[in-house]
Amino acid sequence: MPITEKPVLQVKHLTVRYGKGCPLCGEHLEKNRCTVCGTVWAANDISLEVYPGEVLGIVGESGSGKSTMMQSLYFDLQPTSGEAFLSDYHEGTKNIWDASAAEKRTIKNCIMGMVYQNPVMGLRMEYSAASNIAEKLIAAGNREAGAMTERAKELLSAVEILTSRMGEAPKHFSGGMQQRVQISKALANNPAILLLDEVTTGLDLSVQAKVLDLIRRIKAEYGISILLVSHDHAVIRMLADRTIVMLDGKIIESGLTDQILEDPQQAYTQQLVHSLL
Amino acid sequence: MSILEIQHLTKNFFLHNANREVHSCKDVNFSLEEGEFLGIVGRSGAGKSTILKCIHRTYLPTEGEMLYHSTAFGKISLVSASEREILYLRRSEIGYVSQFLNIMPRTTAKEHVMNALTEIGCDKQRAEQQAKEMLSYFQLPENLWDLYPNTFSGGERLRLNLAHTMVKQPRLMLLDEPTASLDDKSKLLVRDMLIRLKNENTSIIGIFHDLNFMDGLCDRVYNISEGVMEG
């Protein structure tokens, strides 16, 4: 019985470059910056696949290109080159970065969900928690107020936000609550893939535990594939099936999560793992 | 029929910061029959855990071959199997138990065992039923089932680990010094359970320090010295 599942997401040769580049760029990089022309290669030839129901962890130091990749996938920035395919978009045959503006909105609202490290980027802080969710539902074509209210209640309950507070604006919530509202908003239209960018950073331990528990439940109960960026190796160990390691805009190593953490092959990965307290 | 064949397995670790290679196990050869219990002994640092971690693919072997006879894939090389295939085998056929408990925060003992089933698609009701049966089987007191295991004793954690692994009914169990921190009474309980697993045709490779514990339990015992396996 060979494993024949097709990837939910396939990224091929993603490159995000700031600067014009020059013929010598590839050979004269100091970290991710060309010493000849000054071009910065924020993401450099990244290829990866995410399969149904799996969590793919992404680790690497600040500036290694993790968030650049996530923001490219969520159309927050346009890559210089590369292709990405989603199984739910033209059955994985059309590059999402070639999609029309309307198609990109559909992908963002219905196929992918994004949770940013900073909730300000993912939530409208002045609107109520329920309105934040309704915004997503409306963007997906829902118009029936009663049904949207019920869906908002269901989603907020799932992330342990009291439904009695669904009318309040997230700016009055704690950081952990804002993060959970953001997750519920991202889940509004049952996306096939969830992009989580440092979602537990800056939260205290008990709140972190709630968010981790929530991510585990999303994986187990909804079967959603997750791309999980985290600096916290304990989080990666707990949640990720496979992990990739990034450095200077490139993927330098990938493997099963426990193998990456216990038998890292590359010098940088060994340094990263041995830096743990 | 053999379920696992290990041929010329060698594992070295290259430490980049020291620019040095550490040799762990060297040219290890053995096979494991279905329903057989193979014990591995040797002093600390001899390379015993390395062998199990290579089979589990937590470590990448440097040289050699490891052939596993899978229900799903037939004969498969654990060296060259894809990550997806290894993940499948870990979920469904190969269990690994150590003395350490790796658990999600805010997860009760019962949920921990249930999670092993729900992640392979079992519905919640059936998972709960089977989790309860497995926790009873491993004699974890019922009043602990709905508690978080942070405060459990070493013996209770081990029984929870075994329940978590065995609820999936793996064909091959890898036991990495699971009894290291247990008192004699708890060891006896674990020993009885391992005999029951063996009688149910589970193939087992176990590392133990206590030779008395292994007496009468293992079909064969290998000694590892300086990374080399002696018969």
Side-chain angles (χ1 to χ4, degrees), chain A residues 1-3 5 51-54 160 206 209-210 212-214 216-217 219-221 237-239 241-242 254-256 258-260 262-267 270 274, chain B residues 11-17 53 56-61 71-74 82-88 90-91 96 102-107 111 115 118-119 124:
Chain A
M1 185 200 80
I3 290 182
E5 283 174 324
Y51 288 88
E54 86 164 340
E160 297 183 44
S206 65
K210 274 190 184 180
L212 290 179
D213 185 37
L214 174 61
R216 183 193 60 75
R217 280 195 289 119
K219 181 188 173 192
E221 292 170 23
R237 184 186 281 275
M238 248 175 253
L239 294 172
D241 300 297
R242 297 185 298 125
S254 67
L256 297 164
D258 56 336
Q259 181 260 303
I260 290 289
E262 293 191 37
D263 187 20
Q265 305 294 302
Q266 298 296 318
Q270 288 187 1
H274 295 154
Chain B
K11 174 62 184 170
N12 304 325
F13 295 92
F14 186 79
L15 306 178
H16 289 272
N17 63 340
K53 288 193 173 183
H56 196 241
R57 259 278 287 276
T58 300
Y59 290 166
L60 295 173
T71 306
F73 305 117
S82 71
E83 288 158 10
R84 303 277 300 153
E85 287 167 332
I86 294 290
L87 285 171
Y88 176 88
R90 286 182 183 183
R91 286 190 186 122
Y96 180 91
N102 189 11
I103 203 161
M104 287 288 298
R106 298 204 323 163
T107 303
E111 286 166 345
N115 289 345
T118 51
E119 73 177 18
K124 237 177 165 175

Side-chain angles (χ1 to χ4, degrees), chain B residues 34-70:
Chain B
E34 214 160 352
E36 188 182 23
F37 196 136
L38 175 69
I40 302 178
V41 295
R43 61 168 182 77
S44 295
K48 307 183 297 294
S49 292
T50 300
I51 297 171
L52 292 199
K53 288 193 173 183
C54 283
I55 296 168
H56 196 241
R57 259 278 287 276
T58 300
Y59 290 166
L60 295 173
T62 308
E63 280 175 34
E65 183 57 285
M66 302 184 294
L67 297 172
Y68 169 69
H69 294 252
S70 158

Side-chain angles (χ1 to χ4, degrees), chain A residues 173-232:
Chain A
F173 291 172
S174 68
M177 284 171 76
Q178 289 175 350
Q179 212 56 302
R180 282 179 281 141
V181 174
Q182 221 197 149
I183 293 173
S184 66
K185 184 177 180 178
L187 290 173
N189 295 316
N190 296 317
I193 186 160
L194 205 52
L195 311 176
L196 305 180
D197 192 0
E198 295 282 5
V199 291
T200 56
T201 305
L203 302 178
D204 71 55
L205 284 178
S206 65
V207 179
Q208 255 190 38
K210 274 190 184 180
V211 175
L212 290 179
D213 185 37
L214 174 61
I215 298 169
R216 183 193 60 75
R217 280 195 289 119
I218 291 169
K219 181 188 173 192
E221 292 170 23
Y222 299 80
I224 295 174
S225 305
I226 298 174
L227 208 53
L228 175 72
V229 168
S230 181
H231 279 297
D232 189 335

Side-chain angles (χ1 to χ4, degrees), chain A residues 42-54:
Chain A
N44 193 345
D45 197 25
I46 292 173
S47 297
L48 58 85
E49 290 172 341
V50 184
Y51 288 88
E54 86 164 340

Side-chain angles (χ1 to χ4, degrees), chain A residues 3-239:
Chain A
I3 290 182
T4 52
E5 283 174 324
K6 286 186 178 163
V8 176
L9 168 70
Q10 191 171 23
V11 177
K12 290 183 177 177
H13 311 295
L14 164 66
T15 296
V16 179
R17 201 178 63 197
Y18 298 111
K20 288 183 177 172
C22 69
L24 298 172
C25 256
E27 297 154 34
H28 293 83
L29 287 176
E30 184 184 44
K31 293 181 81 69
N32 61 350
R33 183 179 173 278
C34 176
T35 53
V36 178
C37 68
T39 294
V40 172
W41 296 71
N44 193 345
D45 197 25
I46 292 173
S47 297
L48 58 85
E49 290 172 341
V50 184
Y51 288 88
E54 86 164 340
V55 177
L56 180 67
I58 302 169
V59 296
E61 62 192 15
S62 300
S64 61
K66 308 184 298 291
S67 294
T68 298
M69 182 182 71
M70 298 291 257
Q71 287 166 17
S72 301
L73 287 170
Y74 206 60
F75 307 114
D76 289 336
L77 55 90
Q78 180 68 26
T80 310
S81 61
E83 296 175 304
F85 304 94
L86 287 162
S87 58
D88 282 3
Y89 174 66
H90 291 278
E91 296 180 341
T93 58
K94 198 174 164 192
N95 179 10
I96 62 168
W97 290 314
D98 290 338
S100 66
E103 283 181 321
K104 283 179 181 172
R105 277 197 299 276
T106 304
I107 291 171
K108 282 181 78 157
N109 286 316
C110 302
I111 303 177
M112 283 198 282
M114 172 79 163
V115 181
Y116 298 90
Q117 178 180 352
N118 185 350
V120 170
M121 292 179 73
L123 293 175
R124 292 185 189 272
M125 289 295 181
E126 304 289 330
Y127 296 1
S128 70
S131 301
N132 269 279
I133 293 170
E135 184 192 14
K136 272 273 184 185
L137 295 170
I138 291 167
N142 293 282
R143 293 293 180 268
E144 218 247 290
M148 286 195 284
T149 305
E150 283 309 307
R151 178 70 176 144
K153 275 185 187 170
E154 182 192 335
L155 286 162
L156 290 169
S157 300
V159 299
E160 297 183 44
I161 301 280
L162 292 172
T163 50
S164 58
R165 300 195 66 181
M166 65 192 275
E168 293 178 34
K171 68 176 180 181
H172 298 305
F173 291 172
S174 68
M177 284 171 76
Q178 289 175 350
Q179 212 56 302
R180 282 179 281 141
V181 174
Q182 221 197 149
I183 293 173
S184 66
K185 184 177 180 178
L187 290 173
N189 295 316
N190 296 317
I193 186 160
L194 205 52
L195 311 176
L196 305 180
D197 192 0
E198 295 282 5
V199 291
T200 56
T201 305
L203 302 178
D204 71 55
L205 284 178
S206 65
V207 179
Q208 255 190 38
K210 274 190 184 180
V211 175
L212 290 179
D213 185 37
L214 174 61
I215 298 169
R216 183 193 60 75
R217 280 195 289 119
I218 291 169
K219 181 188 173 192
E221 292 170 23
Y222 299 80
I224 295 174
S225 305
I226 298 174
L227 208 53
L228 175 72
V229 168
S230 181
H231 279 297
D232 189 335
H233 294 190
V235 169
I236 292 288
R237 184 186 281 275
M238 248 175 253
L239 294 172

